[in-house]
Amino acid sequence: MAINAHRQVPSDLRQMLTVARYEVFKHLRSRRLIAILVIEVFLLAIMLSLPALLGRPYSDDPAEFVHDVLAFTFTNILIILGATMFAGDAICSEFQSRTGYLLFPNPARRSTIYLGKFASTALIVFLIVSVWYWVAIVSGAIVTGGVSVLAIWSYALAVLFALAASSIGFLVSSILKGSTGALVLTFFLLFMILPLFDLVGTLGGVEPVPSITYQSGAIDAVFMTPYPQSYVQYANESLGLPFNIYFFYPSVTSSALVMIAYIIACNAAGLMLFKRREMIG
């Protein structure tokens, strides 16, 4: 008797979730996630114990407590490290290590594979940012007896920045051939190159609105009450310098909109490049 039963191909959503699940397992095997969580715990332990070690009282304001513990510099570096480690080589590693020969022949769209990979990275960077913020927020609630809405706003902006930075990593990974080059370029784009353009624009009196690293400044500025406004220090008159000094602060609205634009634009471009890329060799 002939057997007419056919195996039904899973839906695109189910395939995407399967790709995301195995990508998370891959990251766990590489121990990158464990390493960055260990760094987080180490930094949080230091920042939480620092006032006690120095014999200083903890702040009784929930927003100030969280701001003192997190410190924008550490938050920024952790997000850039997370985006680099989990997005920088997400696409190009399939071509460099030839694992695409096993992945691509499966009955799954390349868009499904791309979105599954990005979903796994988004989940991991969300976990990294959430651990960083909520340990500080819960500690602040225990010490001060309250939770600040400013800390929640900062947390939401930090999550958006992490997703936008990861989107840049995916775009870089879709362009370059080697993992090392993609990881290095992603890190230096976010840590040095874009901040350098921010500095040049600031010195020239031009607000660097399109820059994601400039817009990430709202993560720290949102803690200030009232919210800081941009201003100019006329240093050529008051200090005799050959230039004026400009201080720009991105608004919360512009920061959120620019980061969302990066997420959409970088992933659209990255997906288009991924679809056109071929396994050679």
PDB file of all heavy atoms in Angstrom, residues 13-34:
ATOM      1  N   LEU A  13       7.040  31.567  11.497  1.00  0.00           N
ATOM      2  CA  LEU A  13       7.202  31.985  12.897  1.00  0.00           C
ATOM      3  C   LEU A  13       7.827  30.873  13.723  1.00  0.00           C
ATOM      4  O   LEU A  13       8.736  31.120  14.523  1.00  0.00           O
ATOM      5  CB  LEU A  13       5.839  32.383  13.486  1.00  0.00           C
ATOM      6  CG  LEU A  13       5.839  32.763  14.967  1.00  0.00           C
ATOM      7  CD1 LEU A  13       6.749  33.969  15.205  1.00  0.00           C
ATOM      8  CD2 LEU A  13       4.428  33.049  15.462  1.00  0.00           C
ATOM      9  N   ARG A  14       7.360  29.649  13.507  1.00  0.00           N
ATOM     10  CA  ARG A  14       7.911  28.525  14.275  1.00  0.00           C
ATOM     11  C   ARG A  14       9.381  28.281  13.900  1.00  0.00           C
ATOM     12  O   ARG A  14      10.206  27.978  14.761  1.00  0.00           O
ATOM     13  CB  ARG A  14       7.075  27.279  13.989  1.00  0.00           C
ATOM     14  CG  ARG A  14       7.373  26.139  14.950  1.00  0.00           C
ATOM     15  CD  ARG A  14       6.354  25.042  14.817  1.00  0.00           C
ATOM     16  NE  ARG A  14       6.637  23.936  15.705  1.00  0.00           N
ATOM     17  CZ  ARG A  14       5.888  22.853  15.790  1.00  0.00           C
ATOM     18  NH1 ARG A  14       4.796  22.768  15.052  1.00  0.00           N
ATOM     19  NH2 ARG A  14       6.212  21.878  16.612  1.00  0.00           N
ATOM     20  N   GLN A  15       9.682  28.410  12.610  1.00  0.00           N
ATOM     21  CA  GLN A  15      11.084  28.254  12.187  1.00  0.00           C
ATOM     22  C   GLN A  15      11.953  29.351  12.792  1.00  0.00           C
ATOM     23  O   GLN A  15      13.087  29.103  13.216  1.00  0.00           O
ATOM     24  CB  GLN A  15      11.161  28.292  10.667  1.00  0.00           C
ATOM     25  CG  GLN A  15      10.593  27.054   9.990  1.00  0.00           C
ATOM     26  CD  GLN A  15      10.673  27.141   8.481  1.00  0.00           C
ATOM     27  OE1 GLN A  15      10.791  28.223   7.924  1.00  0.00           O
ATOM     28  NE2 GLN A  15      10.580  26.007   7.824  1.00  0.00           N
ATOM     29  N   MET A  16      11.422  30.577  12.848  1.00  0.00           N
ATOM     30  CA  MET A  16      12.197  31.680  13.425  1.00  0.00           C
ATOM     31  C   MET A  16      12.484  31.421  14.907  1.00  0.00           C
ATOM     32  O   MET A  16      13.600  31.648  15.385  1.00  0.00           O
ATOM     33  CB  MET A  16      11.411  32.986  13.268  1.00  0.00           C
ATOM     34  CG  MET A  16      12.193  34.224  13.669  1.00  0.00           C
ATOM     35  SD  MET A  16      11.157  35.690  13.801  1.00  0.00           S
ATOM     36  CE  MET A  16      10.347  35.380  15.362  1.00  0.00           C
ATOM     37  N   LEU A  17      11.484  30.940  15.637  1.00  0.00           N
ATOM     38  CA  LEU A  17      11.683  30.644  17.060  1.00  0.00           C
ATOM     39  C   LEU A  17      12.686  29.503  17.245  1.00  0.00           C
ATOM     40  O   LEU A  17      13.479  29.508  18.201  1.00  0.00           O
ATOM     41  CB  LEU A  17      10.339  30.274  17.701  1.00  0.00           C
ATOM     42  CG  LEU A  17       9.315  31.418  17.769  1.00  0.00           C
ATOM     43  CD1 LEU A  17       7.993  30.919  18.345  1.00  0.00           C
ATOM     44  CD2 LEU A  17       9.848  32.573  18.608  1.00  0.00           C
ATOM     45  N   THR A  18      12.665  28.534  16.322  1.00  0.00           N
ATOM     46  CA  THR A  18      13.636  27.431  16.408  1.00  0.00           C
ATOM     47  C   THR A  18      15.055  27.942  16.190  1.00  0.00           C
ATOM     48  O   THR A  18      15.978  27.584  16.933  1.00  0.00           O
ATOM     49  CB  THR A  18      13.312  26.354  15.351  1.00  0.00           C
ATOM     50  OG1 THR A  18      11.993  25.857  15.578  1.00  0.00           O
ATOM     51  CG2 THR A  18      14.304  25.207  15.435  1.00  0.00           C
ATOM     52  N   VAL A  19      15.222  28.811  15.168  1.00  0.00           N
ATOM     53  CA  VAL A  19      16.545  29.404  14.921  1.00  0.00           C
ATOM     54  C   VAL A  19      16.989  30.212  16.139  1.00  0.00           C
ATOM     55  O   VAL A  19      18.148  30.113  16.579  1.00  0.00           O
ATOM     56  CB  VAL A  19      16.496  30.308  13.672  1.00  0.00           C
ATOM     57  CG1 VAL A  19      17.811  31.075  13.515  1.00  0.00           C
ATOM     58  CG2 VAL A  19      16.220  29.479  12.421  1.00  0.00           C
ATOM     59  N   ALA A  20      16.072  30.995  16.715  1.00  0.00           N
ATOM     60  CA  ALA A  20      16.416  31.821  17.881  1.00  0.00           C
ATOM     61  C   ALA A  20      16.840  30.950  19.057  1.00  0.00           C
ATOM     62  O   ALA A  20      17.818  31.264  19.756  1.00  0.00           O
ATOM     63  CB  ALA A  20      15.227  32.699  18.257  1.00  0.00           C
ATOM     64  N   ARG A  21      16.116  29.838  19.273  1.00  0.00           N
ATOM     65  CA  ARG A  21      16.449  28.968  20.404  1.00  0.00           C
ATOM     66  C   ARG A  21      17.838  28.374  20.254  1.00  0.00           C
ATOM     67  O   ARG A  21      18.634  28.365  21.199  1.00  0.00           O
ATOM     68  CB  ARG A  21      15.407  27.855  20.521  1.00  0.00           C
ATOM     69  CG  ARG A  21      15.613  26.990  21.758  1.00  0.00           C
ATOM     70  CD  ARG A  21      14.466  26.039  22.014  1.00  0.00           C
ATOM     71  NE  ARG A  21      14.458  24.909  21.090  1.00  0.00           N
ATOM     72  CZ  ARG A  21      13.550  24.726  20.137  1.00  0.00           C
ATOM     73  NH1 ARG A  21      12.581  25.599  19.982  1.00  0.00           N
ATOM     74  NH2 ARG A  21      13.588  23.670  19.346  1.00  0.00           N
ATOM     75  N   TYR A  22      18.164  27.901  19.050  1.00  0.00           N
ATOM     76  CA  TYR A  22      19.483  27.286  18.855  1.00  0.00           C
ATOM     77  C   TYR A  22      20.598  28.335  18.866  1.00  0.00           C
ATOM     78  O   TYR A  22      21.734  28.044  19.249  1.00  0.00           O
ATOM     79  CB  TYR A  22      19.501  26.488  17.548  1.00  0.00           C
ATOM     80  CG  TYR A  22      18.844  25.140  17.708  1.00  0.00           C
ATOM     81  CD1 TYR A  22      17.565  24.909  17.235  1.00  0.00           C
ATOM     82  CD2 TYR A  22      19.495  24.103  18.365  1.00  0.00           C
ATOM     83  CE1 TYR A  22      16.939  23.679  17.399  1.00  0.00           C
ATOM     84  CE2 TYR A  22      18.891  22.873  18.539  1.00  0.00           C
ATOM     85  CZ  TYR A  22      17.609  22.671  18.056  1.00  0.00           C
ATOM     86  OH  TYR A  22      17.000  21.457  18.244  1.00  0.00           O
ATOM     87  N   GLU A  23      20.281  29.566  18.460  1.00  0.00           N
ATOM     88  CA  GLU A  23      21.283  30.633  18.548  1.00  0.00           C
ATOM     89  C   GLU A  23      21.603  30.954  20.010  1.00  0.00           C
ATOM     90  O   GLU A  23      22.761  31.208  20.365  1.00  0.00           O
ATOM     91  CB  GLU A  23      20.767  31.891  17.845  1.00  0.00           C
ATOM     92  CG  GLU A  23      20.870  31.848  16.335  1.00  0.00           C
ATOM     93  CD  GLU A  23      22.307  31.805  15.842  1.00  0.00           C
ATOM     94  OE1 GLU A  23      23.095  32.683  16.215  1.00  0.00           O
ATOM     95  OE2 GLU A  23      22.641  30.868  15.095  1.00  0.00           O
ATOM     96  N   VAL A  24      20.571  30.954  20.863  1.00  0.00           N
ATOM     97  CA  VAL A  24      20.813  31.189  22.297  1.00  0.00           C
ATOM     98  C   VAL A  24      21.688  30.080  22.869  1.00  0.00           C
ATOM     99  O   VAL A  24      22.636  30.338  23.629  1.00  0.00           O
ATOM    100  CB  VAL A  24      19.473  31.272  23.060  1.00  0.00           C
ATOM    101  CG1 VAL A  24      19.715  31.276  24.570  1.00  0.00           C
ATOM    102  CG2 VAL A  24      18.707  32.526  22.648  1.00  0.00           C
ATOM    103  N   PHE A  25      21.398  28.813  22.487  1.00  0.00           N
ATOM    104  CA  PHE A  25      22.232  27.700  22.944  1.00  0.00           C
ATOM    105  C   PHE A  25      23.679  27.880  22.481  1.00  0.00           C
ATOM    106  O   PHE A  25      24.625  27.590  23.208  1.00  0.00           O
ATOM    107  CB  PHE A  25      21.675  26.370  22.407  1.00  0.00           C
ATOM    108  CG  PHE A  25      20.384  25.963  23.045  1.00  0.00           C
ATOM    109  CD1 PHE A  25      19.468  25.170  22.371  1.00  0.00           C
ATOM    110  CD2 PHE A  25      20.074  26.365  24.335  1.00  0.00           C
ATOM    111  CE1 PHE A  25      18.271  24.786  22.958  1.00  0.00           C
ATOM    112  CE2 PHE A  25      18.875  25.998  24.939  1.00  0.00           C
ATOM    113  CZ  PHE A  25      17.975  25.209  24.247  1.00  0.00           C
ATOM    114  N   LYS A  26      23.844  28.371  21.241  1.00  0.00           N
ATOM    115  CA  LYS A  26      25.199  28.576  20.713  1.00  0.00           C
ATOM    116  C   LYS A  26      25.945  29.625  21.531  1.00  0.00           C
ATOM    117  O   LYS A  26      27.127  29.453  21.860  1.00  0.00           O
ATOM    118  CB  LYS A  26      25.119  29.010  19.241  1.00  0.00           C
ATOM    119  CG  LYS A  26      26.474  29.100  18.555  1.00  0.00           C
ATOM    120  CD  LYS A  26      26.347  29.500  17.102  1.00  0.00           C
ATOM    121  CE  LYS A  26      26.089  30.977  16.960  1.00  0.00           C
ATOM    122  NZ  LYS A  26      26.112  31.428  15.553  1.00  0.00           N
ATOM    123  N   HIS A  27      25.258  30.711  21.873  1.00  0.00           N
ATOM    124  CA  HIS A  27      25.904  31.751  22.683  1.00  0.00           C
ATOM    125  C   HIS A  27      26.276  31.224  24.064  1.00  0.00           C
ATOM    126  O   HIS A  27      27.324  31.567  24.619  1.00  0.00           O
ATOM    127  CB  HIS A  27      24.978  32.957  22.826  1.00  0.00           C
ATOM    128  CG  HIS A  27      24.758  33.700  21.538  1.00  0.00           C
ATOM    129  ND1 HIS A  27      25.796  34.032  20.686  1.00  0.00           N
ATOM    130  CD2 HIS A  27      23.628  34.190  20.969  1.00  0.00           C
ATOM    131  CE1 HIS A  27      25.302  34.686  19.644  1.00  0.00           C
ATOM    132  NE2 HIS A  27      24.003  34.785  19.786  1.00  0.00           N
ATOM    133  N   LEU A  28      25.401  30.381  24.637  1.00  0.00           N
ATOM    134  CA  LEU A  28      25.691  29.828  25.960  1.00  0.00           C
ATOM    135  C   LEU A  28      26.896  28.900  25.910  1.00  0.00           C
ATOM    136  O   LEU A  28      27.714  28.869  26.836  1.00  0.00           O
ATOM    137  CB  LEU A  28      24.463  29.057  26.483  1.00  0.00           C
ATOM    138  CG  LEU A  28      23.269  29.925  26.876  1.00  0.00           C
ATOM    139  CD1 LEU A  28      22.082  29.041  27.248  1.00  0.00           C
ATOM    140  CD2 LEU A  28      23.625  30.836  28.041  1.00  0.00           C
ATOM    141  N   ARG A  29      27.017  28.126  24.810  1.00  0.00           N
ATOM    142  CA  ARG A  29      28.177  27.228  24.682  1.00  0.00           C
ATOM    143  C   ARG A  29      29.471  28.015  24.557  1.00  0.00           C
ATOM    144  O   ARG A  29      30.526  27.568  24.995  1.00  0.00           O
ATOM    145  CB  ARG A  29      28.005  26.313  23.465  1.00  0.00           C
ATOM    146  CG  ARG A  29      27.064  25.151  23.685  1.00  0.00           C
ATOM    147  CD  ARG A  29      27.333  24.043  22.670  1.00  0.00           C
ATOM    148  NE  ARG A  29      27.287  24.529  21.297  1.00  0.00           N
ATOM    149  CZ  ARG A  29      26.191  24.588  20.569  1.00  0.00           C
ATOM    150  NH1 ARG A  29      25.036  24.200  21.090  1.00  0.00           N
ATOM    151  NH2 ARG A  29      26.215  25.029  19.332  1.00  0.00           N
ATOM    152  N   SER A  30      29.390  29.207  23.917  1.00  0.00           N
ATOM    153  CA  SER A  30      30.601  29.994  23.745  1.00  0.00           C
ATOM    154  C   SER A  30      30.992  30.731  25.027  1.00  0.00           C
ATOM    155  O   SER A  30      32.051  31.330  25.101  1.00  0.00           O
ATOM    156  CB  SER A  30      30.398  31.024  22.623  1.00  0.00           C
ATOM    157  OG  SER A  30      29.490  32.030  23.019  1.00  0.00           O
ATOM    158  N   ARG A  31      30.115  30.710  26.026  1.00  0.00           N
ATOM    159  CA  ARG A  31      30.360  31.308  27.343  1.00  0.00           C
ATOM    160  C   ARG A  31      30.488  32.831  27.295  1.00  0.00           C
ATOM    161  O   ARG A  31      30.930  33.445  28.251  1.00  0.00           O
ATOM    162  CB  ARG A  31      31.623  30.702  27.991  1.00  0.00           C
ATOM    163  CG  ARG A  31      31.503  29.206  28.236  1.00  0.00           C
ATOM    164  CD  ARG A  31      32.722  28.630  28.901  1.00  0.00           C
ATOM    165  NE  ARG A  31      32.578  27.196  29.104  1.00  0.00           N
ATOM    166  CZ  ARG A  31      33.527  26.418  29.607  1.00  0.00           C
ATOM    167  NH1 ARG A  31      34.673  26.948  29.962  1.00  0.00           N
ATOM    168  NH2 ARG A  31      33.323  25.122  29.763  1.00  0.00           N
ATOM    169  N   ARG A  32      30.083  33.448  26.174  1.00  0.00           N
ATOM    170  CA  ARG A  32      30.129  34.907  26.116  1.00  0.00           C
ATOM    171  C   ARG A  32      29.135  35.522  27.093  1.00  0.00           C
ATOM    172  O   ARG A  32      29.420  36.515  27.762  1.00  0.00           O
ATOM    173  CB  ARG A  32      29.808  35.382  24.691  1.00  0.00           C
ATOM    174  CG  ARG A  32      30.846  35.008  23.666  1.00  0.00           C
ATOM    175  CD  ARG A  32      30.465  35.554  22.291  1.00  0.00           C
ATOM    176  NE  ARG A  32      31.431  35.179  21.280  1.00  0.00           N
ATOM    177  CZ  ARG A  32      31.384  35.596  20.012  1.00  0.00           C
ATOM    178  NH1 ARG A  32      30.420  36.398  19.612  1.00  0.00           N
ATOM    179  NH2 ARG A  32      32.297  35.218  19.143  1.00  0.00           N
ATOM    180  N   LEU A  33      27.918  34.919  27.155  1.00  0.00           N
ATOM    181  CA  LEU A  33      26.892  35.456  28.039  1.00  0.00           C
ATOM    182  C   LEU A  33      27.320  35.349  29.502  1.00  0.00           C
ATOM    183  O   LEU A  33      27.140  36.291  30.281  1.00  0.00           O
ATOM    184  CB  LEU A  33      25.574  34.707  27.816  1.00  0.00           C
ATOM    185  CG  LEU A  33      24.390  35.150  28.676  1.00  0.00           C
ATOM    186  CD1 LEU A  33      24.094  36.624  28.457  1.00  0.00           C
ATOM    187  CD2 LEU A  33      23.163  34.302  28.377  1.00  0.00           C
ATOM    188  N   ILE A  34      27.897  34.204  29.860  1.00  0.00           N
ATOM    189  CA  ILE A  34      28.345  34.025  31.245  1.00  0.00           C
ATOM    190  C   ILE A  34      29.429  35.045  31.585  1.00  0.00           C
ATOM    191  O   ILE A  34      29.433  35.647  32.662  1.00  0.00           O
ATOM    192  CB  ILE A  34      28.862  32.583  31.448  1.00  0.00           C
ATOM    193  CG1 ILE A  34      27.709  31.589  31.253  1.00  0.00           C
ATOM    194  CG2 ILE A  34      29.481  32.417  32.827  1.00  0.00           C
ATOM    195  CD1 ILE A  34      28.136  30.143  31.266  1.00  0.00           C
TER     196      ILE A  34
END
